[in-house]
Amino acid sequence: MCSVDLQLQFDTCRSATPHIVYKTCYYLFVFSSSDRLNMDGPSRPNPCSLQSRMAPSVGTKIGRLTIDDRPEMCQSDCQCDSQGEVKIKSKRFGRGAVESGLTHECGVFGAIGTGEWPTQVDVGQVICLGLVALQHRGQESAGIVTSEGKSARTFNSHKGMGLINNIFNDEAMKKLKGNLGIGHTRYSTSAASEEVNCQPFVVHTAHGALAVAHNGELVNCSSLRKMVLGRGVGLSTHSDSELITQALCLNPPEGETNGPDWPARINHLMRLAPLSYSLVIMLKDKIYAVRDPYGNRPLCLGKILPLGSSYVYKESSAQHAEVLLNGCAKNGIDDKAEGWVVSSESCGFLSIGARYVREVLPGEIIEMSRHGIRTMDVVERPESKQQAFCIFEYVYFARADSIFEGQMVYSARLQCGRMLARESPIDADIVSSVPESGTAAAHGYARQSGIPFMEVLCKNRYVGRTFIQPSTRLRQLGVAKKFGALSENVRGKRIVLIDDSIVRGNTIGPIIKLLRDAGAAEVHIRIASPPLKFPCYMGINIPTREELIANKMDTFKLAEHVGADSLEYLSVEGLVSAIHYNMKATPSDGVGGHCTACLTGDYPGGLPEDVDW
């Protein structure tokens, strides 16, 4: 049976037949409508100074999630041991069994028109194009939910499995009318790849419909799930994104007087679950953009400008200072907005007529409405903790034209290549890359070493990204189909081949063989990131230590295993130094810190010991 407070909270739970109230609640909660560059590069890092520049600090004792961190509703039947360590074994059990490679689970996007409604902005199309720009973050499923801002009862929604362009055809887009909306593209980490797990999730409450799209993975999912279930709420999936949606529907501890206080509810959720997420939450006529207090997952704001607004370079140095705002063109930002957008990355803004404004701050809750945007609250992290932005966004996940922390991802990758050349030089004839994420680092390596860059691999762009395929066998077949060798550039050459990372070592070997078959004299592998040694439980699929090749072989054995003449990684110190080189903020300011857990084992929220890794 639903408890009394839940019957008041969710009018859709009521039933004339008391004994089926809970069953009704269970199904309606998961409602989903189908109708609706200094050229010299960074200097070699001083390892002694690294400790003050990383977050969390090297050598800092790793904290553990304790029983005090659990929600109040966590009772004796939850899976917390007597020392208070949260068990998340059941959530991640078997996660590495069918997944392969390195994957990020999703991207989120939101858009709202400003001024008089109906807006002149085609919100549905803007979101669709925004999701296309985020397609690299997930290729399993996608969804868009829009609102016309009139009825609190109905949203227009369309979701499906597959790529954006296959899901959102003309017929689907005609249904997505509205003045505001949110979208999501997904790769699963915490729940199976099934249509029931497609986002955004939509629930119906006594106060109207609510839609949520989530990027990340809740660290304390098990205890939060037990709290929600303890309130009589049914969950139809194992997705922590649905769990977030249901938790938002609970009254905050301080209560509410004049209707729902959504910022207070969001604040309550953020205190219950400090890691890891970026959220877009849509009500009838508002969108809330939310980033976790550690800033682990990215989220940024953009402004839709009137047609005709464009960037014009200003020559004078005084004016030039006004041109850049957090690393982006300020020209046009002061124009009246036609709308606002929020996105996991800024890479799609220019294609929809928007300009990057700034990042959503760690812990910030931003309200977006027809009147503009405003910060409603900022949830602070513990005083001893620094920001912990995922460093692998720079290394691998983000598109090269996205902006993080005041710098373009391409620039950071270029500096990684420079640092790699300083740390691991080699005599060679040409430098090349495994396209495309290794290309920027390869250019940096070439510039620093003085060895010319030349393409050696031709990519078949009609084969999907191999890291996202569901088994090792399919992934290796994908490698065979994905690349061809440019034999005229390869024959007789000593090649330095730059790649962004090695996870399991399945793909680099076939590539080396391809180059040798094309006549390469030597193939030296240089990896523009440190060895991956630890799993991630904050939204990236690095499932078990045993499956990570760096835990099985050192660089000499790995080079022999994959058929390379030599193989070297960028050091952790080198990566951090390269990322910080062009940043606009420093970790000493409490921002600009990075999560290096997958490289060092230092987790920003502490590591539960009872995990099957």
Side-chain angles (χ1 to χ4, degrees), residues 109 122-134 144 164-165 167-169 173 176 183 352:
F109 196 92
D122 190 334
V123 168
Q125 289 285 354
V126 165
I127 297 172
C128 187
L129 290 172
L131 292 181
V132 168
L134 298 177
I144 295 176
I164 306 295
N165 290 335
I167 299 169
F168 298 102
N169 53 29
M173 294 307 299
L176 295 174
I352 59 173

Side-chain angles (χ1 to χ4, degrees), residues 584-599:
K584 308 301 180 187
T586 62
S588 61
D589 299 327
V591 296
H594 298 98
C595 176
T596 60
C598 58
L599 311 174

Side-chain angles (χ1 to χ4, degrees), residues 133-245:
L134 298 177
Q135 185 77 86
H136 58 284
R137 298 183 75 88
Q139 300 179 355
E140 282 191 353
S141 65
I144 295 176
V145 178
T146 62
S147 170
E148 296 180 41
K150 300 176 182 178
S151 172
R153 300 295 177 188
T154 58
F155 287 164
N156 305 313
S157 175
H158 187 76
K159 308 178 192 179
M161 303 296 294
L163 301 179
I164 306 295
N165 290 335
N166 296 331
I167 299 169
F168 298 102
N169 53 29
D170 290 342
E171 182 179 353
M173 294 307 299
K174 289 177 182 178
K175 300 176 183 178
L176 295 174
K177 299 182 182 301
N179 295 303
L180 66 159
I182 62 175
H184 186 273
T185 184
R186 180 175 188 265
Y187 185 91
S188 60
T189 54
S190 64
S193 176
E194 300 171 349
E195 191 159 357
V196 69
N197 292 314
C198 294
Q199 297 185 43
F201 280 111
V202 179
V203 297
H204 284 245
T205 78
H207 310 292
L210 170 73
V212 176
H214 167 224
N215 170 25
E217 188 172 358
L218 297 184
V219 172
N220 62 334
C221 181
S222 296
S223 58
L224 189 60
R225 180 177 296 275
K226 287 186 175 294
M227 184 203 75
V228 171
L229 292 172
R231 297 281 183 94
V233 177
L235 298 172
S236 67
T237 75
H238 288 91
S239 169
D240 47 6
S241 305
E242 185 202 8
L243 182 59
I244 289 172
T245 307

Side-chain angles (χ1 to χ4, degrees), residues 455-458 484-491 515 518:
E455 293 183 3
V456 298
L457 293 171
C458 181
L486 300 174
S487 57
E488 289 185 1
N489 294 348
V490 170
R491 191 175 298 115
L515 294 175

Side-chain angles (χ1 to χ4, degrees), residues 5-11 205-207 249-251 256 265:
D5 62 325
L6 281 175
Q7 289 187 28
L8 293 174
Q9 185 69 13
F10 302 100
D11 61 345
T205 78
H207 310 292
C249 295
L250 302 176
N251 288 315
E256 297 169 327
R265 293 185 181 201

Side-chain angles (χ1 to χ4, degrees), residues 165-455:
N165 290 335
N166 296 331
I167 299 169
F168 298 102
N169 53 29
D170 290 342
E171 182 179 353
M173 294 307 299
K174 289 177 182 178
K175 300 176 183 178
L176 295 174
K177 299 182 182 301
N179 295 303
L180 66 159
I182 62 175
H184 186 273
T185 184
R186 180 175 188 265
Y187 185 91
S188 60
T189 54
S190 64
S193 176
E194 300 171 349
E195 191 159 357
V196 69
N197 292 314
C198 294
Q199 297 185 43
F201 280 111
V202 179
V203 297
H204 284 245
T205 78
H207 310 292
L210 170 73
V212 176
H214 167 224
N215 170 25
E217 188 172 358
L218 297 184
V219 172
N220 62 334
C221 181
S222 296
S223 58
L224 189 60
R225 180 177 296 275
K226 287 186 175 294
M227 184 203 75
V228 171
L229 292 172
R231 297 281 183 94
V233 177
L235 298 172
S236 67
T237 75
H238 288 91
S239 169
D240 47 6
S241 305
E242 185 202 8
L243 182 59
I244 289 172
T245 307
Q246 303 294 9
L248 286 170
C249 295
L250 302 176
N251 288 315
E254 57 271 21
E256 297 169 327
T257 54
N258 300 317
D261 185 344
W262 292 108
R265 293 185 181 201
I266 296 169
N267 183 303
H268 181 223
L269 169 68
M270 295 173 74
R271 296 185 185 281
L272 292 176
L275 280 165
S276 158
Y277 48 84
S278 286
L279 304 172
V280 286
I281 303 165
M282 187 178 74
L283 306 174
K284 176 188 74 171
D285 56 359
K286 294 177 182 177
I287 294 174
Y288 289 98
V290 183
R291 193 175 179 197
D292 73 61
Y294 288 82
N296 185 252
R297 301 264 65 85
L299 197 64
C300 62
L301 290 169
K303 184 177 182 180
I304 301 177
L305 300 177
L307 292 176
S309 296
S310 61
Y311 168 67
V312 178
Y313 182 77
K314 301 178 181 180
E315 292 293 340
S316 72
S317 57
Q319 289 175 320
H320 181 67
E322 295 296 318
V323 171
L324 296 181
L325 177 65
N326 290 334
C328 73
K330 186 177 180 182
N331 184 270
I333 289 297
D334 294 328
D335 292 351
K336 183 178 180 181
E338 289 194 346
W340 290 88
V341 290
V342 60
S343 176
S344 295
E345 296 183 37
S346 62
C347 53
F349 285 177
L350 290 177
S351 65
I352 59 173
R355 297 293 183 271
Y356 174 90
V357 175
R358 67 174 178 89
E359 293 183 292
V360 177
L361 299 177
E364 188 176 16
I365 303 171
I366 293 179
E367 181 185 270
M368 306 168 65
S369 70
R370 64 193 300 174
H371 306 295
I373 63 170
R374 58 174 177 163
T375 298
M376 303 301 294
D377 200 356
V378 177
V379 178
E380 300 291 340
R381 58 185 173 271
E383 290 185 6
S384 60
K385 300 291 186 178
Q386 289 184 319
Q387 180 178 343
F389 179 55
C390 174
I391 204 164
F392 249 76
E393 291 285 352
Y394 284 110
V395 172
Y396 185 83
F397 295 119
R399 219 171 77 173
D401 54 338
S402 290
I403 298 170
F404 295 142
E405 301 173 308
Q407 64 178 328
M408 191 163 285
V409 171
Y410 181 91
S411 174
R413 290 176 180 168
L414 192 75
Q415 299 301 342
C416 287
R418 286 185 175 278
M419 184 59 66
L420 185 59
R422 288 172 177 265
E423 291 185 347
S424 302
I426 191 73
D427 288 331
D429 301 311
I430 58 174
V431 175
S432 193
S433 68
V434 179
E436 294 172 347
S437 50
T439 302
H443 281 290
Y445 192 103
R447 294 183 190 182
Q448 186 67 37
S449 65
I451 303 172
F453 175 88
M454 184 177 293
E455 293 183 3

